[in-house]
Amino acid sequence: MSRCGGPPHNRERVFKGEAMDGWRGEEAMKSVEVAFPAVLLLSLLSPSLCSGDGVAVDGAREFDYFLLSLQWPGTFCRRTRHCCPSNGCCKRSVDLEEFTIHGLWPNYNDGTWPACCNNVFYDPKKISPLIGKLSKYWPTLSCSPSSTCHGGKGLFWAHEWEKHGTCSSPVLQDEYSYFSTTLDLYFKYNITKVLTSAGFSSSNDDKYKLAEVSTAIKNATGGTPWLVCSHDFVQELRLCLHKDFSPRDCGVLASNEQGELNSKDSCPMYVRLPKFTRPTESKLKQSTEGEDRQALEVLLL
Ligand code: 5GP
C-alpha cells in the first residue's frame, strides 16, 4: 500500500458566508485552505500523495499542541437545505442546544499541521463502546460523506481520525484513545456551560462582545480560545491545549504559507450564538430531491 508524502497544511481558512444552505451549499462555501495550490501541484507530481482534503505527511515531525475544535449547530444547521438519516441537524435524538465536537487536531506552532499520518485506516469496531456518546456529542451535521486519506469517502469520524487522529502520536496512539480522549476533553471543558454561566446563552436577538466571550473562556479554562464566525454568527470555537492537555492560549496570529501573519479570529467585535432550529418540512419543500423528503419524514415521525 502506498504511503503518502507532502507538506503540512495551513490552518488558516476563509469562510465565504452563511447564505447558502444544505450540504451542496456547505461544499460550495467549504473553507478554502491556503495551501491548496501547493497541494494540487504535489498531487500532480507525486503518485503517492493521498487524495481527499487531508495531505499526508509520512514521517512528519511531532506536532506542538492540540486544537479541540467545537462547532455551534445553531449556526451550522442554518445551512441545511435537505435531510438524510445521518445528518445530526435533522435528528430528534441529538441535542443541538450546545457545542458539538468537530475534532481534535494536532498542530504546529507556525499555524500548519500534519495530516494523514502512518497510513492507518478508520476501523469502526475499535470504537464501538463509544458510539452512543459519539452520536450525541460528535454528530455529523451534514449529509455528504467525508473524504478519507485513502481516496475514499466515509463517516465524519473516519475523516477526523484518518486526517488528524493518526497524527496525534505519540500522545494518542490508537483510534480508541483518540476518540475517548476527545470526548473526555469535551466534557471536562464544557464550553457551553461556561458560556451560559457567564451570561452568554443562545439567542437570536442578543449580540455579545467577542472580547468578553473570549475572557469568560480564558477565566474558566486558563486558555484564550480561537473563534471562527460566519458573519457575526459563531461557527466554531477552538481550545488550544498543550500535549498534556492543559490549556494554553491560542494566540491571535497565525502565519500563512508565505509566512505572513494574519489575525486568526474571523469574528467581528460583536458576535451571536443563534438558537438551533431543526430543519422543517417547509424548508425541505425547497429541496428537489424526493428521497431527502422521505428521509426527513421518517426522522420527524
Ligand atoms: P476538517 O476541517 O476536520 O479537516 O474537515 C472537515 C470535513 O469533514 C469537511 O470538509 C466535511 O467534508 C466533513 N464533515 C462532515 N460532517 C461535518 C460536520 O458536521 N462539520 C464539519 N465542519 N465538517 C464535516
Side-chain angles (χ1 to χ4, degrees):
M1 198 155 302
S2 74
R3 302 193 71 149
C4 306
H9 268 185
N10 191 295
R11 182 73 70 199
E12 285 299 294
R13 295 160 175 216
V14 180
F15 286 85
K16 295 211 160 181
E18 83 203 21
M20 300 163 82
D21 284 0
W23 185 243
R24 280 152 299 182
E26 283 170 42
E27 279 297 311
M29 65 183 282
K30 201 164 64 177
S31 49
V32 176
E33 302 196 351
V34 178
F36 181 71
V39 171
L40 186 62
L41 185 64
L42 270 155
S43 67
L44 292 172
L45 295 177
S46 165
S48 64
L49 197 69
C50 288
S51 58
D53 61 353
V55 175
V57 185
D58 195 22
R61 72 180 195 277
E62 198 178 316
F63 68 99
D64 296 318
Y65 69 101
F66 283 111
L67 265 167
L68 174 64
S69 190
L70 308 174
Q71 47 191 4
W72 183 252
T75 299
F76 206 100
C77 295
R78 287 167 58 92
R79 312 203 296 241
T80 304
R81 273 270 186 263
H82 66 290
C83 282
C84 61
S86 61
N87 188 341
C89 294
C90 310
K91 279 187 189 170
R92 283 202 186 279
S93 56
V94 176
D95 180 10
L96 293 171
E97 299 301 338
E98 53 191 358
F99 280 99
T100 57
I101 301 169
H102 180 164
L104 183 66
W105 302 335
N107 232 43
Y108 294 124
N109 285 329
D110 66 3
T112 64
W113 69 92
C116 299
C117 304
N118 304 328
N119 205 21
V120 176
F121 284 72
Y122 170 76
D123 178 357
K125 289 195 290 299
K126 297 207 165 125
I127 52 167
S128 50
L130 302 174
I131 292 301
K133 281 198 172 132
L134 291 174
S135 304
K136 191 161 178 201
Y137 302 109
W138 198 334
T140 177
L141 302 180
S142 71
C143 286
S144 291
S146 307
S147 58
T148 63
C149 290
H150 308 282
K153 294 278 181 187
L155 297 179
F156 185 32
W157 301 329
H159 171 90
E160 292 299 312
W161 159 248
E162 290 189 6
K163 181 176 176 187
H164 304 286
T166 58
C167 302
S168 308
S169 182
V171 180
L172 300 172
Q173 307 226 18
D174 57 63
E175 192 182 312
Y176 184 87
S177 314
Y178 175 73
F179 285 100
S180 60
T181 305
T182 306
L183 283 168
D184 288 347
L185 293 167
Y186 172 79
F187 295 127
K188 175 174 177 186
Y189 292 111
N190 203 337
I191 292 301
T192 312
K193 194 167 166 203
V194 165
L195 289 182
T196 308
S197 310
F200 304 117
S201 334
S202 66
S203 164
N204 290 332
D205 304 318
D206 297 333
K207 282 191 176 195
Y208 306 121
K209 203 166 185 181
L210 177 66
E212 290 175 5
V213 170
S214 195
T215 302
I217 290 164
K218 167 88 174 173
N219 290 344
T221 67
T224 306
W226 168 13
L227 280 93
V228 175
C229 290
S230 177
H231 297 276
D232 60 354
F233 292 162
V234 173
Q235 177 158 299
E236 299 227 340
L237 192 151
R238 296 170 181 165
L239 292 183
C240 294
L241 307 167
H242 293 287
K243 286 197 247 183
D244 64 0
F245 302 113
S246 60
R248 57 171 254 177
D249 289 339
C250 288
V252 291
L253 297 173
S255 61
N256 62 17
E257 277 279 290
Q258 289 74 43
E260 296 159 341
L261 290 175
N262 297 309
S263 173
K264 268 182 167 185
D265 279 328
S266 59
C267 300
M269 195 181 284
Y270 286 88
V271 296
R272 297 170 196 264
L273 287 166
K275 283 195 170 298
F276 168 69
T277 316
R278 203 173 303 283
T280 58
E281 177 65 10
S282 64
K283 260 200 161 184
L284 191 71
K285 277 185 185 139
Q286 296 166 24
S287 167
T288 52
E289 291 171 38
E291 66 188 51
D292 294 332
R293 165 187 285 278
Q294 251 181 357
L296 185 75
E297 281 163 2
V298 168
L299 287 160
L300 293 181
L301 282 176

